[in-house]
Amino acid sequence: MYRRWIEAALLAGLALATAGTLAAQQRQPFPAGQPSIMNDEEDTAPPPPKPARTSGQKQTPAFEHDPDLEASDQFAPSQVDQTMPGAVSMPSRGSQTRARAAARGSDAAIEPGTPARLSRQAKRHVIACSGVFGRDSSHAKLAMAFQSRNVTFTQVDAIGGKAMASVLYAKDRKQRLEVWWSKPANRTDTHLIVINGQSDWIAPGELHLGLTLAELEKLNGKPFKLSGFDKDYVAVLTDWNGGQLDALAGGCKIGINLRPDPKTPSASLSDLSADHAFTSSDAALRAVNPTISEILIAY
């Protein structure tokens, strides 16, 4: 099965000073009559006489540099351009949250670290299979793009146990994102990107949590194939069936997991078991109204 194959590949792959820049001091012009400490030999000549003050005129104070500004405030973080990897169904399936479709917003990439005062729609993050989410990315690149305080290397849930991954905005359920590495010891080479829980990240092809089968078919341009529901009530994409989501720029592939409407009676799922294959247009499958609960982007 497509999902099991990805899971096996992932678990196999996972087995595997601060240099501060001293700002050059700029030599500031000194007011008349004040000796310079930059070169004592040049200050032997007597100072010129002070000009007579003109009545009614006030001397304009010199501009003062703000010593409290940090280096990080001198520039804006690079803009995110991300692409999603292939179908992978190996991360945590433990979350029982059934995310609902978030309001559809602009699919333009946004700058990491956008001020919190912006609206949720304006803050939504879009992933592409390139840039900081490209195949050759790393934990260090994520930290540079999103600020190190927003990126944590920690344990995340995986099928059969735990795995180490870089987590963006770990304490923000709306912005949380997992990035798994092919070389976890070095935290390099993107292997998997996971959108789950209540995260509002948008994957390539405008995929996000909460999409229905009908909405997925529209984005794919045609029906696709998936399994029935397993013991955890998760259905898994098995084939995009040559649709628009089957091949994405950047070499990544997208996998999805779906859950039925929480109000669906268990009896309605008895004929939709995981050992049967279905198409997204199947009437019985549509009747339980499954929506995306997890998106997996793999390289």
Side-chain angles (χ1 to χ4, degrees):
M1 183 185 296
Y2 191 55
R3 175 175 184 164
R4 305 298 179 191
W5 180 86
I6 299 266
E7 293 175 356
L10 173 69
L11 293 176
L14 288 176
L16 299 181
T18 300
T21 304
L22 297 177
Q25 289 187 334
Q26 297 181 350
R27 184 175 181 177
Q28 303 294 330
F30 289 85
Q34 296 295 324
S36 167
I37 64 173
M38 302 299 294
N39 191 335
D40 294 335
E41 296 180 357
E42 295 179 358
D43 297 320
T44 56
K50 295 182 180 180
R53 298 185 62 179
T54 303
S55 176
Q57 292 184 346
K58 293 184 179 180
Q59 190 173 8
T60 302
F63 171 77
E64 295 184 1
H65 220 41
D66 186 348
D68 296 326
L69 285 178
E70 298 180 355
S72 60
D73 296 324
Q74 307 301 322
F75 56 89
S78 59
Q79 197 159 12
V80 179
D81 179 17
Q82 320 167 29
T83 302
M84 299 316 194
V88 182
S89 343
M90 61 47 350
S92 138
R93 282 162 36 186
S95 172
Q96 299 301 315
T97 303
R98 294 168 174 85
R100 294 303 174 194
R104 299 292 291 276
S106 169
D107 60 357
I110 67 168
E111 289 193 48
T114 301
R117 64 177 177 272
L118 294 183
S119 67
R120 170 56 54 189
Q121 182 175 355
K123 287 177 60 180
R124 298 183 76 190
H125 302 284
V126 179
I127 299 175
C129 298
S130 59
V132 294
F133 294 112
R135 185 191 299 270
D136 62 349
S137 190
S138 65
H139 180 95
K141 289 182 179 180
L142 292 177
M144 291 177 63
F146 296 95
Q147 302 182 6
S148 58
R149 67 175 180 269
N150 297 321
V151 186
T152 306
F153 190 65
T154 186
Q155 285 188 336
V156 296
D157 292 330
I159 300 252
K162 297 284 186 178
M164 296 299 296
S166 295
V167 180
L168 274 64
Y169 305 107
K171 297 181 179 180
D172 186 338
R173 61 184 182 180
K174 293 293 186 179
Q175 296 192 83
R176 188 179 184 279
L177 186 73
E178 298 176 10
V179 181
W180 301 38
W181 307 109
S182 293
K183 300 177 181 178
N186 299 327
R187 307 181 194 182
T188 61
D189 297 351
T190 308
H191 178 65
L192 186 72
I193 301 171
V194 183
I195 305 173
N196 57 19
Q198 298 181 40
S199 177
D200 63 7
W201 280 83
I202 302 175
E206 300 183 28
L207 292 178
H208 60 80
L209 300 181
L211 287 175
T212 65
L213 290 177
E215 291 170 326
L216 279 168
E217 279 191 9
K218 184 176 181 181
L219 292 174
N220 191 46
K222 61 188 304 184
F224 52 91
K225 299 177 182 179
L226 64 164
S227 71
F229 298 97
D230 62 16
K231 60 182 178 62
D232 296 318
Y233 301 107
V234 174
V236 180
L237 167 80
T238 57
D239 194 341
W240 286 115
N241 202 25
Q244 296 177 19
L245 298 174
D246 198 18
L248 299 169
C252 64
K253 295 181 178 297
I254 294 183
I256 59 171
N257 296 331
L258 304 96
R259 291 183 181 274
D261 188 300
K263 298 179 181 179
T264 302
S266 298
S268 300
L269 301 174
S270 59
D271 294 330
L272 300 171
S273 62
D275 55 356
H276 291 81
F278 300 89
T279 63
S280 55
S281 58
D282 187 281
L285 199 61
R286 291 283 187 100
V288 301
N289 192 31
T291 56
I292 294 182
S293 60
E294 191 169 45
I295 301 174
L296 308 118
I297 306 157
Y299 285 94

